[in-house]
PDB file of all heavy atoms in Angstrom:
ATOM      1  N   TYR A   1       4.402 -30.591  82.964  1.00  0.00           N
ATOM      2  CA  TYR A   1       4.309 -30.210  81.526  1.00  0.00           C
ATOM      3  C   TYR A   1       5.726 -29.874  81.054  1.00  0.00           C
ATOM      4  O   TYR A   1       6.491 -29.220  81.749  1.00  0.00           O
ATOM      5  CB  TYR A   1       3.425 -28.991  81.275  1.00  0.00           C
ATOM      6  CG  TYR A   1       1.964 -29.293  81.373  1.00  0.00           C
ATOM      7  CD1 TYR A   1       1.277 -29.276  82.584  1.00  0.00           C
ATOM      8  CD2 TYR A   1       1.239 -29.595  80.188  1.00  0.00           C
ATOM      9  CE1 TYR A   1      -0.126 -29.563  82.593  1.00  0.00           C
ATOM     10  CE2 TYR A   1      -0.120 -29.906  80.256  1.00  0.00           C
ATOM     11  CZ  TYR A   1      -0.777 -29.861  81.456  1.00  0.00           C
ATOM     12  OH  TYR A   1      -2.111 -30.105  81.530  1.00  0.00           O
ATOM     13  N   SER A   2       6.053 -30.276  79.807  1.00  0.00           N
ATOM     14  CA  SER A   2       7.386 -29.978  79.249  1.00  0.00           C
ATOM     15  C   SER A   2       7.276 -28.579  78.627  1.00  0.00           C
ATOM     16  O   SER A   2       6.211 -28.111  78.280  1.00  0.00           O
ATOM     17  CB  SER A   2       7.789 -30.966  78.187  1.00  0.00           C
ATOM     18  OG  SER A   2       6.918 -30.852  77.048  1.00  0.00           O
ATOM     19  N   LYS A   3       8.449 -27.971  78.449  1.00  0.00           N
ATOM     20  CA  LYS A   3       8.529 -26.692  77.736  1.00  0.00           C
ATOM     21  C   LYS A   3       8.108 -26.878  76.310  1.00  0.00           C
ATOM     22  O   LYS A   3       7.434 -25.979  75.720  1.00  0.00           O
ATOM     23  CB  LYS A   3       9.906 -26.057  77.793  1.00  0.00           C
ATOM     24  CG  LYS A   3      10.290 -25.533  79.174  1.00  0.00           C
ATOM     25  CD  LYS A   3      11.592 -24.870  79.197  1.00  0.00           C
ATOM     26  CE  LYS A   3      11.883 -24.399  80.577  1.00  0.00           C
ATOM     27  NZ  LYS A   3      13.211 -23.777  80.692  1.00  0.00           N
ATOM     28  N   PHE A   4       8.296 -28.009  75.718  1.00  0.00           N
ATOM     29  CA  PHE A   4       7.908 -28.302  74.336  1.00  0.00           C
ATOM     30  C   PHE A   4       6.361 -28.203  74.260  1.00  0.00           C
ATOM     31  O   PHE A   4       5.872 -27.548  73.350  1.00  0.00           O
ATOM     32  CB  PHE A   4       8.384 -29.687  73.962  1.00  0.00           C
ATOM     33  CG  PHE A   4       7.875 -30.100  72.603  1.00  0.00           C
ATOM     34  CD1 PHE A   4       8.416 -29.631  71.391  1.00  0.00           C
ATOM     35  CD2 PHE A   4       6.854 -31.004  72.514  1.00  0.00           C
ATOM     36  CE1 PHE A   4       7.904 -29.997  70.181  1.00  0.00           C
ATOM     37  CE2 PHE A   4       6.338 -31.411  71.279  1.00  0.00           C
ATOM     38  CZ  PHE A   4       6.882 -30.917  70.114  1.00  0.00           C
ATOM     39  N   LEU A   5       5.691 -28.839  75.143  1.00  0.00           N
ATOM     40  CA  LEU A   5       4.182 -28.822  75.133  1.00  0.00           C
ATOM     41  C   LEU A   5       3.652 -27.437  75.337  1.00  0.00           C
ATOM     42  O   LEU A   5       2.673 -27.027  74.695  1.00  0.00           O
ATOM     43  CB  LEU A   5       3.610 -29.811  76.161  1.00  0.00           C
ATOM     44  CG  LEU A   5       3.730 -31.266  75.799  1.00  0.00           C
ATOM     45  CD1 LEU A   5       3.220 -32.113  76.966  1.00  0.00           C
ATOM     46  CD2 LEU A   5       2.981 -31.615  74.535  1.00  0.00           C
ATOM     47  N   ILE A   6       4.260 -26.677  76.272  1.00  0.00           N
ATOM     48  CA  ILE A   6       3.779 -25.324  76.572  1.00  0.00           C
ATOM     49  C   ILE A   6       4.086 -24.447  75.374  1.00  0.00           C
ATOM     50  O   ILE A   6       3.231 -23.574  74.990  1.00  0.00           O
ATOM     51  CB  ILE A   6       4.438 -24.814  77.843  1.00  0.00           C
ATOM     52  CG1 ILE A   6       3.890 -25.615  79.073  1.00  0.00           C
ATOM     53  CG2 ILE A   6       4.107 -23.311  78.035  1.00  0.00           C
ATOM     54  CD1 ILE A   6       4.612 -25.362  80.352  1.00  0.00           C
ATOM     55  N   ARG A   7       5.190 -24.637  74.675  1.00  0.00           N
ATOM     56  CA  ARG A   7       5.548 -23.851  73.517  1.00  0.00           C
ATOM     57  C   ARG A   7       4.491 -24.102  72.415  1.00  0.00           C
ATOM     58  O   ARG A   7       3.959 -23.237  71.736  1.00  0.00           O
ATOM     59  CB  ARG A   7       6.905 -24.208  72.980  1.00  0.00           C
ATOM     60  CG  ARG A   7       7.414 -23.258  71.872  1.00  0.00           C
ATOM     61  CD  ARG A   7       8.894 -23.471  71.516  1.00  0.00           C
ATOM     62  NE  ARG A   7       9.784 -23.130  72.598  1.00  0.00           N
ATOM     63  CZ  ARG A   7      10.500 -24.060  73.287  1.00  0.00           C
ATOM     64  NH1 ARG A   7      10.483 -25.323  73.030  1.00  0.00           N
ATOM     65  NH2 ARG A   7      11.323 -23.620  74.288  1.00  0.00           N
ATOM     66  N   GLN A   8       4.095 -25.417  72.247  1.00  0.00           N
ATOM     67  CA  GLN A   8       3.081 -25.718  71.280  1.00  0.00           C
ATOM     68  C   GLN A   8       1.720 -25.076  71.626  1.00  0.00           C
ATOM     69  O   GLN A   8       1.014 -24.563  70.775  1.00  0.00           O
ATOM     70  CB  GLN A   8       2.844 -27.225  71.237  1.00  0.00           C
ATOM     71  CG  GLN A   8       3.908 -27.999  70.404  1.00  0.00           C
ATOM     72  CD  GLN A   8       3.543 -29.466  70.253  1.00  0.00           C
ATOM     73  OE1 GLN A   8       3.169 -30.107  71.239  1.00  0.00           O
ATOM     74  NE2 GLN A   8       3.743 -29.954  69.078  1.00  0.00           N
ATOM     75  N   TYR A   9       1.391 -25.117  72.928  1.00  0.00           N
ATOM     76  CA  TYR A   9       0.158 -24.472  73.369  1.00  0.00           C
ATOM     77  C   TYR A   9       0.202 -22.976  73.069  1.00  0.00           C
ATOM     78  O   TYR A   9      -0.754 -22.426  72.550  1.00  0.00           O
ATOM     79  CB  TYR A   9      -0.002 -24.672  74.944  1.00  0.00           C
ATOM     80  CG  TYR A   9      -1.119 -23.845  75.503  1.00  0.00           C
ATOM     81  CD1 TYR A   9      -2.450 -24.249  75.312  1.00  0.00           C
ATOM     82  CD2 TYR A   9      -0.850 -22.688  76.225  1.00  0.00           C
ATOM     83  CE1 TYR A   9      -3.417 -23.426  75.854  1.00  0.00           C
ATOM     84  CE2 TYR A   9      -1.855 -21.900  76.776  1.00  0.00           C
ATOM     85  CZ  TYR A   9      -3.141 -22.294  76.552  1.00  0.00           C
ATOM     86  OH  TYR A   9      -4.205 -21.515  77.065  1.00  0.00           O
ATOM     87  N   LEU A  10       1.335 -22.311  73.308  1.00  0.00           N
ATOM     88  CA  LEU A  10       1.466 -20.862  73.033  1.00  0.00           C
ATOM     89  C   LEU A  10       1.359 -20.619  71.563  1.00  0.00           C
ATOM     90  O   LEU A  10       0.788 -19.567  71.170  1.00  0.00           O
ATOM     91  CB  LEU A  10       2.720 -20.300  73.596  1.00  0.00           C
ATOM     92  CG  LEU A  10       2.768 -20.188  75.193  1.00  0.00           C
ATOM     93  CD1 LEU A  10       4.174 -19.853  75.630  1.00  0.00           C
ATOM     94  CD2 LEU A  10       1.753 -19.156  75.633  1.00  0.00           C
ATOM     95  N   GLU A  11       1.851 -21.461  70.684  1.00  0.00           N
ATOM     96  CA  GLU A  11       1.703 -21.271  69.287  1.00  0.00           C
ATOM     97  C   GLU A  11       0.327 -21.356  68.836  1.00  0.00           C
ATOM     98  O   GLU A  11      -0.038 -20.792  67.836  1.00  0.00           O
ATOM     99  CB  GLU A  11       2.610 -22.358  68.494  1.00  0.00           C
ATOM    100  CG  GLU A  11       4.098 -22.114  68.681  1.00  0.00           C
ATOM    101  CD  GLU A  11       4.896 -23.248  68.124  1.00  0.00           C
ATOM    102  OE1 GLU A  11       4.373 -24.211  67.516  1.00  0.00           O
ATOM    103  OE2 GLU A  11       6.140 -23.165  68.273  1.00  0.00           O
ATOM    104  N   ASN A  12      -0.523 -22.043  69.549  1.00  0.00           N
ATOM    105  CA  ASN A  12      -1.986 -22.131  69.158  1.00  0.00           C
ATOM    106  C   ASN A  12      -2.878 -21.189  69.995  1.00  0.00           C
ATOM    107  O   ASN A  12      -4.073 -21.239  69.823  1.00  0.00           O
ATOM    108  CB  ASN A  12      -2.468 -23.537  69.329  1.00  0.00           C
ATOM    109  CG  ASN A  12      -1.804 -24.502  68.329  1.00  0.00           C
ATOM    110  OD1 ASN A  12      -1.736 -24.164  67.127  1.00  0.00           O
ATOM    111  ND2 ASN A  12      -1.274 -25.629  68.772  1.00  0.00           N
ATOM    112  N   ALA A  13      -2.302 -20.390  70.851  1.00  0.00           N
ATOM    113  CA  ALA A  13      -3.027 -19.496  71.702  1.00  0.00           C
ATOM    114  C   ALA A  13      -3.728 -18.410  70.945  1.00  0.00           C
ATOM    115  O   ALA A  13      -4.630 -17.736  71.426  1.00  0.00           O
ATOM    116  CB  ALA A  13      -2.159 -18.896  72.781  1.00  0.00           C
ATOM    117  N   HIS A  14      -3.415 -18.182  69.643  1.00  0.00           N
ATOM    118  CA  HIS A  14      -4.060 -17.216  68.830  1.00  0.00           C
ATOM    119  C   HIS A  14      -5.460 -17.616  68.407  1.00  0.00           C
ATOM    120  O   HIS A  14      -6.267 -16.747  68.014  1.00  0.00           O
ATOM    121  CB  HIS A  14      -3.219 -16.945  67.577  1.00  0.00           C
ATOM    122  CG  HIS A  14      -3.223 -18.173  66.691  1.00  0.00           C
ATOM    123  ND1 HIS A  14      -2.343 -19.221  66.893  1.00  0.00           N
ATOM    124  CD2 HIS A  14      -3.977 -18.457  65.566  1.00  0.00           C
ATOM    125  CE1 HIS A  14      -2.552 -20.141  65.940  1.00  0.00           C
ATOM    126  NE2 HIS A  14      -3.547 -19.713  65.177  1.00  0.00           N
ATOM    127  N   GLN A  15      -5.859 -18.872  68.597  1.00  0.00           N
ATOM    128  CA  GLN A  15      -7.225 -19.291  68.236  1.00  0.00           C
ATOM    129  C   GLN A  15      -8.210 -18.552  69.071  1.00  0.00           C
ATOM    130  O   GLN A  15      -7.970 -18.281  70.258  1.00  0.00           O
ATOM    131  CB  GLN A  15      -7.393 -20.779  68.491  1.00  0.00           C
ATOM    132  CG  GLN A  15      -6.594 -21.677  67.590  1.00  0.00           C
ATOM    133  CD  GLN A  15      -6.778 -23.158  67.955  1.00  0.00           C
ATOM    134  OE1 GLN A  15      -6.948 -23.491  69.111  1.00  0.00           O
ATOM    135  NE2 GLN A  15      -6.803 -24.024  66.980  1.00  0.00           N
ATOM    136  N   ASP A  16      -9.300 -18.186  68.455  1.00  0.00           N
ATOM    137  CA  ASP A  16     -10.309 -17.449  69.262  1.00  0.00           C
ATOM    138  C   ASP A  16     -11.091 -18.387  70.093  1.00  0.00           C
ATOM    139  O   ASP A  16     -11.097 -19.603  69.892  1.00  0.00           O
ATOM    140  CB  ASP A  16     -11.160 -16.455  68.374  1.00  0.00           C
ATOM    141  CG  ASP A  16     -12.279 -17.184  67.634  1.00  0.00           C
ATOM    142  OD1 ASP A  16     -12.513 -18.371  67.759  1.00  0.00           O
ATOM    143  OD2 ASP A  16     -12.941 -16.422  66.830  1.00  0.00           O
ATOM    144  N   ILE A  17     -11.841 -17.844  70.994  1.00  0.00           N
ATOM    145  CA  ILE A  17     -12.577 -18.665  71.985  1.00  0.00           C
ATOM    146  C   ILE A  17     -13.612 -19.576  71.285  1.00  0.00           C
ATOM    147  O   ILE A  17     -13.890 -20.702  71.782  1.00  0.00           O
ATOM    148  CB  ILE A  17     -13.200 -17.809  73.097  1.00  0.00           C
ATOM    149  CG1 ILE A  17     -13.743 -18.644  74.211  1.00  0.00           C
ATOM    150  CG2 ILE A  17     -14.279 -16.884  72.471  1.00  0.00           C
ATOM    151  CD1 ILE A  17     -14.118 -17.936  75.470  1.00  0.00           C
ATOM    152  N   TYR A  18     -14.115 -19.133  70.181  1.00  0.00           N
ATOM    153  CA  TYR A  18     -15.144 -19.962  69.505  1.00  0.00           C
ATOM    154  C   TYR A  18     -14.511 -21.239  68.857  1.00  0.00           C
ATOM    155  O   TYR A  18     -15.162 -22.234  68.718  1.00  0.00           O
ATOM    156  CB  TYR A  18     -15.865 -19.138  68.424  1.00  0.00           C
ATOM    157  CG  TYR A  18     -16.707 -18.018  69.021  1.00  0.00           C
ATOM    158  CD1 TYR A  18     -16.203 -16.773  69.253  1.00  0.00           C
ATOM    159  CD2 TYR A  18     -18.021 -18.342  69.473  1.00  0.00           C
ATOM    160  CE1 TYR A  18     -16.943 -15.764  69.868  1.00  0.00           C
ATOM    161  CE2 TYR A  18     -18.775 -17.313  70.063  1.00  0.00           C
ATOM    162  CZ  TYR A  18     -18.243 -16.062  70.259  1.00  0.00           C
ATOM    163  OH  TYR A  18     -18.993 -15.107  70.858  1.00  0.00           O
ATOM    164  N   GLU A  19     -13.237 -21.146  68.481  1.00  0.00           N
ATOM    165  CA  GLU A  19     -12.548 -22.262  67.948  1.00  0.00           C
ATOM    166  C   GLU A  19     -11.896 -23.165  68.999  1.00  0.00           C
ATOM    167  O   GLU A  19     -12.048 -24.379  68.954  1.00  0.00           O
ATOM    168  CB  GLU A  19     -11.418 -21.712  66.975  1.00  0.00           C
ATOM    169  CG  GLU A  19     -10.688 -22.722  66.183  1.00  0.00           C
ATOM    170  CD  GLU A  19      -9.640 -22.082  65.298  1.00  0.00           C
ATOM    171  OE1 GLU A  19      -9.506 -20.884  65.279  1.00  0.00           O
ATOM    172  OE2 GLU A  19      -9.005 -22.822  64.558  1.00  0.00           O
ATOM    173  N   ALA A  20     -11.260 -22.508  69.964  1.00  0.00           N
ATOM    174  CA  ALA A  20     -10.497 -23.267  70.976  1.00  0.00           C
ATOM    175  C   ALA A  20     -11.326 -23.680  72.174  1.00  0.00           C
ATOM    176  O   ALA A  20     -11.005 -24.610  72.882  1.00  0.00           O
ATOM    177  CB  ALA A  20      -9.357 -22.404  71.519  1.00  0.00           C
ATOM    178  N   LYS A  21     -12.513 -23.077  72.289  1.00  0.00           N
ATOM    179  CA  LYS A  21     -13.452 -23.381  73.416  1.00  0.00           C
ATOM    180  C   LYS A  21     -12.854 -22.974  74.765  1.00  0.00           C
ATOM    181  O   LYS A  21     -13.350 -23.400  75.849  1.00  0.00           O
ATOM    182  CB  LYS A  21     -13.915 -24.803  73.451  1.00  0.00           C
ATOM    183  CG  LYS A  21     -14.513 -25.303  72.133  1.00  0.00           C
ATOM    184  CD  LYS A  21     -15.784 -24.560  71.824  1.00  0.00           C
ATOM    185  CE  LYS A  21     -16.368 -25.105  70.556  1.00  0.00           C
ATOM    186  NZ  LYS A  21     -17.168 -24.089  69.871  1.00  0.00           N
ATOM    187  N   GLN A  22     -11.794 -22.169  74.749  1.00  0.00           N
ATOM    188  CA  GLN A  22     -11.236 -21.675  75.939  1.00  0.00           C
ATOM    189  C   GLN A  22     -10.499 -20.372  75.688  1.00  0.00           C
ATOM    190  O   GLN A  22     -10.161 -20.042  74.523  1.00  0.00           O
ATOM    191  CB  GLN A  22     -10.275 -22.660  76.594  1.00  0.00           C
ATOM    192  CG  GLN A  22      -8.914 -22.822  75.949  1.00  0.00           C
ATOM    193  CD  GLN A  22      -7.969 -23.677  76.740  1.00  0.00           C
ATOM    194  OE1 GLN A  22      -8.398 -24.716  77.250  1.00  0.00           O
ATOM    195  NE2 GLN A  22      -6.780 -23.256  76.828  1.00  0.00           N
ATOM    196  N   LEU A  23     -10.274 -19.623  76.748  1.00  0.00           N
ATOM    197  CA  LEU A  23      -9.535 -18.344  76.642  1.00  0.00           C
ATOM    198  C   LEU A  23      -8.708 -18.240  77.925  1.00  0.00           C
ATOM    199  O   LEU A  23      -9.210 -18.242  78.981  1.00  0.00           O
ATOM    200  CB  LEU A  23     -10.495 -17.165  76.504  1.00  0.00           C
ATOM    201  CG  LEU A  23      -9.854 -15.748  76.563  1.00  0.00           C
ATOM    202  CD1 LEU A  23      -8.952 -15.543  75.338  1.00  0.00           C
ATOM    203  CD2 LEU A  23     -10.895 -14.685  76.679  1.00  0.00           C
ATOM    204  N   ARG A  24      -7.362 -18.150  77.727  1.00  0.00           N
ATOM    205  CA  ARG A  24      -6.468 -17.969  78.874  1.00  0.00           C
ATOM    206  C   ARG A  24      -5.823 -16.666  78.725  1.00  0.00           C
ATOM    207  O   ARG A  24      -5.253 -16.338  77.674  1.00  0.00           O
ATOM    208  CB  ARG A  24      -5.468 -19.096  78.919  1.00  0.00           C
ATOM    209  CG  ARG A  24      -4.436 -18.933  80.024  1.00  0.00           C
ATOM    210  CD  ARG A  24      -3.495 -20.060  80.168  1.00  0.00           C
ATOM    211  NE  ARG A  24      -4.167 -21.007  81.132  1.00  0.00           N
ATOM    212  CZ  ARG A  24      -3.533 -22.067  81.651  1.00  0.00           C
ATOM    213  NH1 ARG A  24      -2.365 -22.408  81.174  1.00  0.00           N
ATOM    214  NH2 ARG A  24      -4.170 -22.826  82.482  1.00  0.00           N
ATOM    215  N   LEU A  25      -5.846 -15.800  79.750  1.00  0.00           N
ATOM    216  CA  LEU A  25      -5.235 -14.484  79.756  1.00  0.00           C
ATOM    217  C   LEU A  25      -4.241 -14.355  80.904  1.00  0.00           C
ATOM    218  O   LEU A  25      -4.493 -14.942  81.988  1.00  0.00           O
ATOM    219  CB  LEU A  25      -6.298 -13.358  79.896  1.00  0.00           C
ATOM    220  CG  LEU A  25      -7.380 -13.328  78.779  1.00  0.00           C
ATOM    221  CD1 LEU A  25      -8.439 -12.313  79.137  1.00  0.00           C
ATOM    222  CD2 LEU A  25      -6.766 -13.074  77.444  1.00  0.00           C
ATOM    223  N   ALA A  26      -3.194 -13.629  80.691  1.00  0.00           N
ATOM    224  CA  ALA A  26      -2.234 -13.323  81.717  1.00  0.00           C
ATOM    225  C   ALA A  26      -2.758 -12.162  82.532  1.00  0.00           C
ATOM    226  O   ALA A  26      -3.292 -11.170  82.025  1.00  0.00           O
ATOM    227  CB  ALA A  26      -0.889 -12.964  81.117  1.00  0.00           C
ATOM    228  N   ILE A  27      -2.615 -12.239  83.861  1.00  0.00           N
ATOM    229  CA  ILE A  27      -2.914 -11.168  84.770  1.00  0.00           C
ATOM    230  C   ILE A  27      -1.613 -10.391  85.088  1.00  0.00           C
ATOM    231  O   ILE A  27      -0.648 -10.960  85.553  1.00  0.00           O
ATOM    232  CB  ILE A  27      -3.528 -11.680  86.112  1.00  0.00           C
ATOM    233  CG1 ILE A  27      -4.750 -12.537  85.841  1.00  0.00           C
ATOM    234  CG2 ILE A  27      -3.795 -10.514  87.066  1.00  0.00           C
ATOM    235  CD1 ILE A  27      -5.164 -13.370  87.085  1.00  0.00           C
ATOM    236  N   CYS A  28      -1.543  -9.117  84.699  1.00  0.00           N
ATOM    237  CA  CYS A  28      -0.298  -8.363  84.798  1.00  0.00           C
ATOM    238  C   CYS A  28      -0.498  -7.144  85.646  1.00  0.00           C
ATOM    239  O   CYS A  28      -1.493  -6.467  85.541  1.00  0.00           O
ATOM    240  CB  CYS A  28       0.170  -7.918  83.380  1.00  0.00           C
ATOM    241  SG  CYS A  28       0.469  -9.272  82.277  1.00  0.00           S
ATOM    242  N   LYS A  29       0.549  -6.848  86.454  1.00  0.00           N
ATOM    243  CA  LYS A  29       0.548  -5.598  87.234  1.00  0.00           C
ATOM    244  C   LYS A  29       0.744  -4.407  86.250  1.00  0.00           C
ATOM    245  O   LYS A  29       1.561  -4.449  85.391  1.00  0.00           O
ATOM    246  CB  LYS A  29       1.720  -5.565  88.186  1.00  0.00           C
ATOM    247  CG  LYS A  29       1.651  -6.586  89.280  1.00  0.00           C
ATOM    248  CD  LYS A  29       2.882  -6.462  90.179  1.00  0.00           C
ATOM    249  CE  LYS A  29       2.937  -7.511  91.248  1.00  0.00           C
ATOM    250  NZ  LYS A  29       4.166  -7.424  92.042  1.00  0.00           N
ATOM    251  N   LYS A  30      -0.081  -3.418  86.489  1.00  0.00           N
ATOM    252  CA  LYS A  30       0.029  -2.218  85.634  1.00  0.00           C
ATOM    253  C   LYS A  30       1.378  -1.491  85.800  1.00  0.00           C
ATOM    254  O   LYS A  30       2.006  -1.057  84.842  1.00  0.00           O
ATOM    255  CB  LYS A  30      -1.088  -1.179  85.953  1.00  0.00           C
ATOM    256  CG  LYS A  30      -2.281  -1.379  85.047  1.00  0.00           C
ATOM    257  CD  LYS A  30      -3.235  -0.172  85.234  1.00  0.00           C
ATOM    258  CE  LYS A  30      -4.314  -0.255  84.233  1.00  0.00           C
ATOM    259  NZ  LYS A  30      -5.257   0.839  84.357  1.00  0.00           N
ATOM    260  N   GLU A  31       1.821  -1.416  87.047  1.00  0.00           N
ATOM    261  CA  GLU A  31       3.050  -0.661  87.367  1.00  0.00           C
ATOM    262  C   GLU A  31       4.296  -1.235  86.665  1.00  0.00           C
ATOM    263  O   GLU A  31       5.199  -0.470  86.365  1.00  0.00           O
ATOM    264  CB  GLU A  31       3.264  -0.524  88.884  1.00  0.00           C
ATOM    265  CG  GLU A  31       3.534  -1.887  89.507  1.00  0.00           C
ATOM    266  CD  GLU A  31       3.678  -1.798  91.029  1.00  0.00           C
ATOM    267  OE1 GLU A  31       2.963  -1.048  91.676  1.00  0.00           O
ATOM    268  OE2 GLU A  31       4.530  -2.514  91.523  1.00  0.00           O
ATOM    269  N   SER A  32       4.371  -2.529  86.573  1.00  0.00           N
ATOM    270  CA  SER A  32       5.570  -3.161  86.078  1.00  0.00           C
ATOM    271  C   SER A  32       5.396  -4.040  84.847  1.00  0.00           C
ATOM    272  O   SER A  32       6.387  -4.479  84.252  1.00  0.00           O
ATOM    273  CB  SER A  32       6.227  -3.984  87.169  1.00  0.00           C
ATOM    274  OG  SER A  32       5.338  -5.104  87.494  1.00  0.00           O
ATOM    275  N   SER A  33       4.191  -4.312  84.461  1.00  0.00           N
ATOM    276  CA  SER A  33       3.802  -5.205  83.372  1.00  0.00           C
ATOM    277  C   SER A  33       4.171  -6.683  83.678  1.00  0.00           C
ATOM    278  O   SER A  33       4.116  -7.553  82.835  1.00  0.00           O
ATOM    279  CB  SER A  33       4.421  -4.819  82.047  1.00  0.00           C
ATOM    280  OG  SER A  33       3.952  -3.570  81.632  1.00  0.00           O
ATOM    281  N   GLU A  34       4.539  -6.968  84.948  1.00  0.00           N
ATOM    282  CA  GLU A  34       4.925  -8.300  85.363  1.00  0.00           C
ATOM    283  C   GLU A  34       3.635  -9.157  85.413  1.00  0.00           C
ATOM    284  O   GLU A  34       2.609  -8.777  85.987  1.00  0.00           O
ATOM    285  CB  GLU A  34       5.547  -8.257  86.741  1.00  0.00           C
ATOM    286  CG  GLU A  34       5.761  -9.584  87.375  1.00  0.00           C
ATOM    287  CD  GLU A  34       6.103  -9.556  88.885  1.00  0.00           C
ATOM    288  OE1 GLU A  34       6.093  -8.445  89.452  1.00  0.00           O
ATOM    289  OE2 GLU A  34       6.379 -10.590  89.431  1.00  0.00           O
ATOM    290  N   ALA A  35       3.672 -10.367  84.817  1.00  0.00           N
ATOM    291  CA  ALA A  35       2.574 -11.325  84.920  1.00  0.00           C
ATOM    292  C   ALA A  35       2.621 -11.981  86.283  1.00  0.00           C
ATOM    293  O   ALA A  35       3.689 -12.420  86.733  1.00  0.00           O
ATOM    294  CB  ALA A  35       2.774 -12.370  83.854  1.00  0.00           C
ATOM    295  N   VAL A  36       1.449 -11.949  86.970  1.00  0.00           N
ATOM    296  CA  VAL A  36       1.368 -12.489  88.286  1.00  0.00           C
ATOM    297  C   VAL A  36       0.453 -13.696  88.392  1.00  0.00           C
ATOM    298  O   VAL A  36       0.415 -14.418  89.393  1.00  0.00           O
ATOM    299  CB  VAL A  36       0.941 -11.428  89.341  1.00  0.00           C
ATOM    300  CG1 VAL A  36       1.959 -10.362  89.481  1.00  0.00           C
ATOM    301  CG2 VAL A  36      -0.440 -10.870  88.975  1.00  0.00           C
ATOM    302  N   GLY A  37      -0.372 -13.899  87.306  1.00  0.00           N
ATOM    303  CA  GLY A  37      -1.291 -15.027  87.329  1.00  0.00           C
ATOM    304  C   GLY A  37      -1.941 -15.256  85.998  1.00  0.00           C
ATOM    305  O   GLY A  37      -1.583 -14.588  85.025  1.00  0.00           O
TER     306      GLY A  37
END
């Protein structure tokens, strides 16, 4: 995937699950806020 396509995806990530038919969430460590998955 190109960074361009991922940037476009992120720009549309605000759509709710009823509109997008999907929901992707970042899994983050509480201690550091680092995304791990």
Side-chain angles (χ1 to χ4, degrees):
Y1 283 87
S2 69
K3 287 184 181 179
F4 173 77
L5 287 176
I6 295 169
R7 190 174 293 112
Q8 282 186 317
Y9 170 76
L10 287 170
E11 287 172 5
N12 292 313
H14 66 278
Q15 293 178 322
D16 79 6
I17 191 168
Y18 293 92
E19 186 178 1
K21 306 298 182 206
Q22 75 172 42
L23 173 67
R24 174 173 271 189
L25 300 174
I27 303 166
C28 300
K29 293 180 185 177
K30 266 191 172 179
E31 65 182 39
S32 65
S33 298
E34 172 193 3
V36 296

